[in-house]
Amino acid sequence: KTQQYRGSVIDKAIDIEFGKKVNAKTILVLTGDGKAEKEKLGGLEPSCIASDLSSAVKWILQDIEKA
């Protein structure tokens, strides 16, 4: 059985908005522009806020296991 996972690891607030529109999980990574972009989220809530890419991958793997 193959599972399809729809998600996006991003560092821009606008990408979270796009991810929500296409019903994808959104993970804001606080490296790169992520820290500054976190302040711009307003009412947008990513599925996860990760400190780095490694933490984002761990969250994705745990999320897949829950499904």
Side-chain angles (χ1 to χ4, degrees), residues 33-56:
D33 295 327
K35 286 181 185 176
E37 291 292 312
K38 184 179 176 187
E39 304 302 319
K40 299 177 185 177
L41 291 179
L44 291 175
E45 291 188 31
S47 305
C48 172
I49 297 177
S51 59
D52 55 31
L53 187 56
S54 177
S55 297

Side-chain angles (χ1 to χ4, degrees), residues 10-45:
I10 48 86
D11 67 353
K12 299 281 186 194
I14 195 164
D15 294 334
I16 294 171
E17 185 176 357
F18 175 77
K20 297 288 185 182
K21 286 181 181 179
V22 297
N23 200 29
K25 304 277 178 122
T26 54
I27 301 108
L28 176 66
V29 179
L30 297 179
T31 55
D33 295 327
K35 286 181 185 176
E37 291 292 312
K38 184 179 176 187
E39 304 302 319
K40 299 177 185 177
L41 291 179
L44 291 175
E45 291 188 31

Side-chain angles (χ1 to χ4, degrees), residues 48 50 52-65:
C48 172
D52 55 31
L53 187 56
S54 177
S55 297
V57 170
K58 288 177 186 175
W59 184 89
I60 291 167
L61 293 174
Q62 289 173 349
D63 193 51
I64 290 171
E65 287 294 317

